[in-house]
Amino acid sequence: MHSVNPRLASKASEQVTIYDLAPHGRSRRPWPVRYRSVGSLAICVDVIIIHAISIFSTLIYYGGIDIDFGKALGSATVVSALIVSWLRMRGMYQPTELTVLRNQIRWVCTTWIVVFGFLVVVVAELNIAHEFSGAALIFAVTGLGSLIAQRIFIKKFIQKALKGRRFAGGNIVVITDQSHSEQAGLLQALRARGFHVQAVFRLPPSGAPHGLRKRLCARVVENVRGCDNIEAIVVEADAGRWPEMQAFATELRIVPFPVVLVPVGTISRMLRRPTRDLCGAFSIEIQRGPLGLLERMAKRIVDIVGAAVILFLLSPLLLLTAAAIKLDSSGPIIFRQRRCGFNGRNFSICKFRTMTVLEDGSSIIQAQPTDSRVTRVGKWLRRMSIDELPQLFNVLEGSMSLVGPRPHAIAHDNEFDKIVRNYASRQRVKPGLTGWAQIHGCRGPTPTSASIERRVEYDLWYIDNWSLRRDIAILLQTPQEILRGRNAF
């Protein structure tokens, strides 16, 4: 980094300040890698790993005899092209994404399984199964493990480089309307990524005289004139000043460097939302849509496998419960009630009967701690949530999921929708047997508006932050919450 021109610094009295950013102490030599090139490096490593593992698997399986390396390299090329293309399309090679290990592992595993599943279908359709051998199985297992190990390594590489400021980068000039403390975040981020902040100029406040901006522009031009190693001029300003920033950029056209706007303020939060191409029109996604195809497939697989396994393991308990209900009181063993599911579609939920009544009308009274309608067996079933287990059949048929917002009776939905804003937003996903709200103690009746608001808040957070890993964590925490027995009666 370089000290700024003293001739320019002396003009700070005109509300245009330049900070001296000369480095203090000796800095370590940077690595020959730029931060923005990390994604390309990760792609190259993935391709090399896939090809190397393909050859390795062939050598292991055939023991070095009559090896067709052409076939091994050909299959590796197809696999690497599909894997890399899909991960790149999902943005998984962005440097910021490469440091989120759980997302990387989730997408690498999902993509790898889908790609190999697709290839199996192709092989079956073309009737060329004889072309594949045990080498393909070795390739599938070791390849996936190697890609996961590569993610762990590259995360540590990026973190070490950022912490030690070891990335290589060019010189940057910053123009900001933020205070010295507020702009520190941007400067530290630029330096961590290898950029040398050559100078920081103070942008005049909004509504300042035009002449002040002209003088600032002249000083920026004078500072960078004759320099060949300026990578960009970064303008950090409130996005609401866009017309002013356009005019400012026009005045900087005489310098042969890109001018980059880093928006701050309210509009900047909107610009961080995902973007879409809607019939050629630029659009911003302000609400997360339904889960993607791969996400829905993964969640459905967990639902089917999980529900089937739980039903098999708990089948003796289900039979005993059915017998106890029949012996305890008259009426059906299974209680059905209309509930509102995904996208407002009604379905019939299954529960073990725990009451002497079978309410399913426009007015339903929620259970109370000492409710005379609850049977003797029903009291224990509700306490341990055993009455909810028949909903596993709803999960298998697809009207529910293992994890999601708990469905309420339609009568209660109509009531809560008038009380809680965005209550209907819970229907953006399938209702669940358990959920994020339930493991945080939001079980049982909702006697006050505050209690239903708290539950909805948890549900909406879960929808906006869904991940397969979180679903599994919720399933594992549910038994512990049941044993605690909070709000269950």
Side-chain angles (χ1 to χ4, degrees):
M1 293 188 288
H2 307 282
S3 299
V4 299
N5 192 325
R7 186 160 45 91
L8 300 180
S10 64
K11 300 183 180 181
S13 59
E14 300 183 37
Q15 299 183 28
V16 181
T17 306
I18 306 175
Y19 296 101
D20 183 3
L21 297 172
H24 300 282
R26 299 179 61 183
S27 59
R28 288 180 289 182
R29 186 185 182 118
W31 295 333
V33 178
R34 285 179 173 250
Y35 178 76
R36 64 186 181 188
S37 302
V38 170
S40 300
L41 177 64
I43 290 175
C44 293
V45 174
D46 278 354
V47 172
I48 292 172
I49 285 177
I50 293 173
H51 282 76
I53 293 298
S54 180
I55 295 174
F56 169 78
S57 302
T58 304
L59 285 171
I60 291 295
Y61 185 75
Y62 290 103
I65 302 174
D66 297 329
I67 298 176
D68 187 352
F69 286 108
K71 186 184 297 183
L73 292 174
S75 60
T77 300
V78 173
V79 172
S80 61
L82 293 173
I83 294 290
V84 169
S85 297
W86 184 255
L87 291 178
R88 189 171 183 272
M89 184 174 64
R90 300 297 304 183
M92 290 296 106
Y93 287 110
Q94 296 292 333
T96 51
E97 287 292 336
L98 287 169
T99 59
V100 185
L101 188 58
R102 64 179 183 181
N103 286 349
Q104 287 292 319
I105 293 177
R106 174 166 61 92
W107 277 105
V108 167
C109 290
T110 303
T111 307
W112 188 265
I113 292 171
V114 170
V115 166
F116 268 86
F118 168 75
L119 293 178
V120 168
V121 172
V122 171
V123 166
E125 289 294 327
L126 297 178
N127 198 22
I128 55 173
H130 61 279
E131 296 288 337
F132 286 79
S133 62
L137 181 59
I138 298 174
F139 177 35
V141 175
T142 56
L144 178 58
S146 299
L147 289 181
I148 292 175
Q150 198 266 109
R151 261 58 191 179
I152 297 173
F153 169 79
I154 201 165
K155 176 188 177 180
K156 292 182 178 179
F157 168 80
I158 295 174
Q159 290 177 334
K160 183 176 181 180
L162 289 174
K163 185 177 180 180
R165 299 185 180 181
R166 305 302 295 273
F167 283 118
N171 293 322
I172 292 285
V173 172
V174 175
I175 305 171
T176 180
D177 66 353
Q178 302 297 293
S179 67
H180 186 62
S181 59
E182 292 173 327
Q183 71 180 330
L186 175 63
L187 299 182
Q188 291 175 1
L190 289 172
R191 289 167 178 158
R193 285 152 181 80
F195 293 107
H196 300 279
V197 183
Q198 179 170 307
V200 177
F201 292 81
R202 169 70 60 194
L203 190 67
S206 181
H210 177 70
L212 198 59
R213 193 181 71 230
K214 293 282 287 185
R215 286 195 292 273
L216 170 62
C217 181
R219 292 170 186 175
V220 173
V221 171
E222 185 177 356
N223 184 265
V224 302
R225 179 72 78 183
C227 298
D228 296 327
N229 59 348
I230 300 294
E231 189 151 327
I233 298 174
V234 177
V235 181
E236 182 188 30
D238 192 318
R241 302 178 65 178
W242 173 242
E244 185 181 347
M245 294 303 99
Q246 280 186 305
F248 186 68
T250 300
E251 295 170 355
L252 290 175
R253 283 182 178 176
I254 60 175
V255 296
F257 307 119
V259 178
V260 181
L261 175 66
V262 177
V264 297
T266 304
I267 298 179
S268 67
R269 291 194 291 272
M270 179 184 69
L271 296 178
R272 294 191 185 100
R273 303 295 302 176
T275 60
R276 292 176 177 267
D277 182 5
L278 186 63
C279 301
F282 174 79
S283 59
I284 298 175
E285 183 184 83
I286 58 176
Q287 173 179 287
R288 178 175 177 173
L291 304 181
L293 177 60
L294 289 177
E295 294 172 325
R296 293 199 304 272
M297 288 175 57
K299 188 172 177 63
R300 186 60 182 149
I301 290 172
V302 171
D303 285 345
I304 294 174
V305 174
V309 170
I310 295 173
L311 281 171
F312 175 76
L313 295 177
L314 298 183
S315 55
L317 174 63
L318 297 178
L319 293 174
L320 289 174
T321 301
I325 293 173
K326 198 64 179 176
L327 294 173
D328 180 57
S329 60
S330 60
I333 296 172
I334 298 296
F335 166 57
R336 296 181 181 274
Q337 190 179 68
R338 290 177 299 124
R339 300 288 172 99
C340 195
F342 175 70
N343 200 22
R345 290 196 289 266
N346 290 352
F347 70 98
S348 181
I349 198 172
C350 300
K351 301 179 68 174
F352 280 128
R353 181 177 60 83
T354 59
M355 290 186 171
T356 57
V357 296
L358 302 172
E359 296 178 330
D360 189 19
S362 58
S363 178
I364 300 176
I365 302 175
Q366 292 185 337
Q368 305 299 319
T370 56
D371 200 316
S372 60
R373 297 172 300 166
V374 179
T375 64
R376 290 173 298 176
V377 171
K379 177 180 179 181
W380 294 100
L381 296 182
R382 297 174 72 92
R383 171 67 176 77
M384 301 302 295
S385 294
I386 296 175
D387 61 319
E388 311 287 358
L389 291 179
Q391 292 166 38
L392 291 167
F393 293 103
N394 290 111
V395 175
L396 289 176
E397 74 175 4
S399 56
M400 290 182 64
S401 177
L402 287 176
V403 181
R406 285 292 297 154
H408 301 130
I410 292 180
H412 296 154
D413 276 339
N414 295 333
E415 177 186 349
F416 297 152
D417 192 38
K418 299 174 183 177
I419 300 174
V420 182
R421 183 182 180 185
N422 296 327
Y423 176 80
S425 298
R426 301 166 74 251
Q427 298 168 7
R428 284 187 284 152
V429 297
K430 290 181 182 180
L433 187 64
T434 183
W436 187 246
Q438 280 62 51
I439 66 171
H440 286 86
C442 297
R443 298 173 60 201
T446 51
T448 65
S449 59
S451 61
I452 186 59
E453 286 174 359
R454 181 167 175 261
R455 182 175 298 189
V456 171
E457 184 179 348
Y458 278 117
D459 289 337
L460 297 184
W461 186 92
Y462 164 79
I463 294 172
D464 290 333
N465 297 275
W466 179 88
S467 71
L468 190 59
R469 178 182 177 183
R470 182 166 288 110
D471 272 8
I472 295 173
I474 291 172
L475 290 173
L476 294 176
Q477 292 179 50
T478 296
Q480 178 182 354
E481 181 60 32
I482 291 175
L483 293 175
R484 295 180 66 179
R486 289 189 289 180
N487 306 317
F489 46 81

